[in-house]
Amino acid sequence: MTHILAIDQGTTSSRAILFDADLRVVASAQEEFPQHYPQPGWVEHDPSDLWSTVAATARAAMERAGVRAERIAAIGITNQRETTLIWDRASGQPIHPAIVWQDRRTAGLCTALKDAGHEPMITERTGLLLDPYFSATKVKWLLDHVEGARARAEAGELAFGTVDTWLIWNLTGGRVHATDATNAARTMLYNIATGTWDAEICALMDVPMALLPEVKDCAADFGTTRADLFGREIPICGVAGDQQAATVGQACFAPGMMKSTYGTGCFALLNTGSDRVPSTNRLLTTIAYQLDGKPTYALEGSIFIAGAVVQWLRDGLKIIRHASETQGLAEAAEAAQGVILVPAFTGLGAPYWRPDCRGAVYGLTRNSGPAELARAALESVGYQTRDLLEAMRADWGAAADGVLRVDGGMSASDWAMQFLSDILGAPVDRPKVTETTALGAAYLAGLQAGVCPAPEEFAKSWALDRRFEPAMDADERQAKYARWGRAIQATMAV
């Protein structure tokens, strides 16, 4: 058995990537699926889309490589986090569409819980802030709004899971109801200090503990697939939420190392080792990965809109046909206009946490056009990343002044990465393998299956594609970032 299959289930598409024993990509397949917006601020997925695209892309990757199931040592899963599903244990049928991490329908409930004084206790135990982003209030909403759901949950007839759990359930034919520590840590129901579901928080959220999956290490036995799916049973040996998988794929194993992933959103993680560092700047304290029962912690900053702002240019404004066109437009833009786009389409994430905010554009003139909007869209990602790293610097110290490792779709844009380095005033390293999320999942599965080496050996295989060094004048950097700060304040004041 010489291959590892990584399943990367994301917010807008599902991918499967087949790696060989040296963790080199052999073949891949990707399939997009629809997003559903039943009301303003609501975002849903059809659970059957999540499952069917995963099964289809896994088979397609195997077929393209000419690799049969007998040669696959293990499967690793990485997934969009916080997205919430509840299904019937007997039939496997979901009781409602999946509520996506971007969904803001529980903002009022979060405000009420804050006003009642519950946020300090929740933050101390989970490392998270009271925000609709996380799973807990989504679970409560489902139990409160789907007829009969609460009684069925209390009777043990229903199962809750984030997307990894939903996929494990379907892959194993309903034999395994489990998650890993990184996904559990994003539910706002899991105590990251004790490594257990928190009974008091579950009671506060009216979430019966009978709903909850078993929590395992990131490299662990998650059962085997149904034999009929791929021709034979394949062990599922690795699971991590997408940002934690990217942290592993980037080999950020030492305290002080940082990575930032640019997908639909942007997520920066700073490894803090065995220390749970409480944030005084509204970052999240979370689990970076857990091996051999020992969690490694991280500070995380979450930006809701990164690559999604380019999708908006394509699908909303229709000023581009392909994401790659943004680089040429940005280069052609009139820089002196200084157009600023605050992409708060689903609210502002860290360090502001303002779910009520909406997007805004500043500095438009009669000469502003597609080029200026494209430039402002790419720059917005750099500005938001600096917001996160400023907060990390305040929480963690000088270690956050170091090199930032980047990955994800937008990291392919030289223009965007150069601006990121310029506005941070720090080096930005792009690895040769930018599919680090899938790579991390594959590595975890291979580690459990005995195919891959220990973390310190795996880290030696990380290879640099290009380092971007800051070239912007310091005064210009500060002036531009100050304008961004004024735009953020104006947006929050509306």
Side-chain angles (χ1 to χ4, degrees):
M1 293 186 286
T2 56
H3 292 76
I4 301 167
L5 179 63
I7 292 169
D8 182 357
Q9 202 301 298
T11 307
T12 58
S13 68
S14 297
R15 296 186 304 162
I17 301 180
L18 196 64
F19 293 85
D20 65 16
D22 294 320
L23 294 178
R24 293 175 300 205
V25 175
V26 175
S28 65
Q30 183 169 358
E31 188 173 332
E32 291 191 0
F33 53 85
Q35 310 292 299
H36 302 282
Y37 307 98
Q39 293 185 34
W42 292 29
V43 190
E44 295 180 350
H45 290 155
D46 183 336
S48 66
D49 287 342
L50 304 180
W51 166 236
S52 64
T53 54
V54 162
T57 53
R59 292 191 186 104
M62 293 167 62
E63 289 170 6
R64 289 172 186 176
V67 172
R68 297 172 61 86
E70 289 79 5
R71 293 171 60 190
I72 298 177
I75 290 175
I77 296 173
T78 184
N79 56 285
Q80 53 167 311
R81 305 169 304 170
E82 298 95 16
T83 294
T84 298
L85 303 99
I86 297 179
W87 61 93
D88 184 286
R89 290 181 181 272
S91 69
Q93 291 300 307
I95 66 169
H96 188 274
I99 302 180
V100 180
W101 58 272
Q102 296 163 312
D103 190 282
R104 316 306 289 171
R105 75 186 64 184
T106 61
L109 173 58
C110 290
T111 299
L113 289 166
K114 286 181 189 178
D115 292 345
H118 295 298
E119 186 171 58
M121 179 272 288
I122 288 173
T123 299
E124 194 277 329
R125 297 185 187 187
T126 69
L128 309 178
L129 300 169
L130 257 172
D131 190 86
Y133 177 28
F134 305 108
S135 307
T137 57
K138 302 180 195 297
V139 178
K140 177 173 169 53
W141 189 94
L142 288 168
L143 296 180
D144 288 342
H145 289 81
V146 177
E147 185 177 356
R150 184 167 297 285
R152 294 174 66 199
E154 290 171 350
E157 297 174 9
L158 302 181
F160 152 71
T162 42
V163 172
D164 60 305
T165 303
W166 170 242
L167 296 180
I168 293 166
W169 180 277
N170 282 281
L171 285 165
T172 63
R175 290 175 295 175
V176 178
H177 182 214
T179 188
D180 83 293
T182 69
N183 277 294
R186 311 299 296 192
T187 63
M188 208 163 68
L189 298 170
Y190 185 76
N191 190 316
I192 64 171
T194 63
T196 58
W197 296 113
D198 194 287
E200 186 176 347
I201 296 176
C202 287
L204 177 66
M205 298 291 178
D206 294 326
V207 173
M209 297 188 74
L211 270 177
L212 305 176
E214 180 184 0
V215 181
K216 296 175 177 279
D217 286 349
C218 297
D221 176 10
F222 290 88
T224 58
T225 64
R226 292 166 17 210
D228 61 304
L229 281 175
F230 306 116
R232 67 171 283 270
E233 293 185 351
I234 304 175
I236 305 167
C237 294
V239 178
D242 52 10
Q243 304 313 315
Q244 284 87 348
T247 302
V248 171
Q250 286 276 34
C252 290
F253 296 127
M257 294 185 74
M258 296 184 294
K259 74 90 200 175
S260 189
T261 298
Y262 298 96
T264 301
C266 162
F267 303 86
L269 267 76
L270 169 67
N271 185 325
T272 63
S274 58
D275 295 331
R276 280 188 305 124
V277 176
S279 175
T280 58
N281 293 278
R282 298 184 68 75
L283 296 177
L284 308 176
T285 304
T286 194
I287 295 175
Y289 51 88
Q290 182 168 302
L291 300 174
D292 298 323
K294 180 183 177 183
T296 294
Y297 296 101
L299 284 169
E300 177 178 329
S302 307
I303 297 167
F304 298 148
I305 302 293
V309 75
V310 176
Q311 291 177 322
W312 175 67
L313 297 177
R314 183 192 68 186
D315 303 333
L317 297 186
K318 302 187 186 304
I319 61 176
I320 59 171
R321 289 177 297 175
H322 303 288
S324 58
E325 296 173 26
T326 54
Q327 176 154 325
L329 285 171
E331 291 170 348
E334 188 179 334
Q337 286 194 36
V339 175
I340 291 181
L341 168 62
V342 179
F345 303 145
T346 56
L348 285 170
Y352 307 105
W353 295 107
R354 285 286 300 275
D356 56 312
C357 284
R358 292 297 177 261
V361 183
Y362 299 92
L364 292 174
T365 71
R366 283 289 299 272
N367 291 330
S368 301
E372 285 70 32
L373 284 173
R375 182 185 181 110
L378 295 183
E379 287 183 342
S380 74
V381 177
Y383 289 131
Q384 291 179 98
T385 305
R386 177 162 171 180
D387 287 343
L388 299 183
L389 268 62
E390 292 280 345
M392 286 180 175
R393 184 177 296 114
D395 282 335
W396 177 250
D401 289 325
V403 175
L404 178 67
R405 291 185 172 182
V406 296
D407 55 81
M410 192 175 282
S411 69
S413 168
D414 289 352
W415 194 95
M417 294 302 100
Q418 183 58 55
F419 180 78
L420 177 62
S421 176
D422 286 341
I423 204 65
L424 295 179
V428 170
D429 281 0
R430 183 173 64 198
K432 287 186 176 179
V433 179
T434 56
E435 298 289 358
T436 52
T437 304
L439 176 63
Y443 170 71
L444 291 167
L447 180 66
Q448 174 68 16
V451 176
C452 294
E456 55 271 18
E457 288 300 312
F458 171 68
K460 295 176 183 177
S461 67
W462 187 93
L464 179 69
D465 168 57
R466 178 174 172 182
R467 168 167 286 188
F468 297 86
E469 297 277 7
M472 184 180 289
D473 177 83
D475 290 339
E476 181 184 359
R477 176 185 304 121
Q478 289 309 110
K480 289 176 76 69
Y481 189 58
R483 289 190 71 242
W484 166 258
R486 292 193 294 272
I488 284 286
Q489 294 304 315
T491 302
M492 293 195 294
V494 173

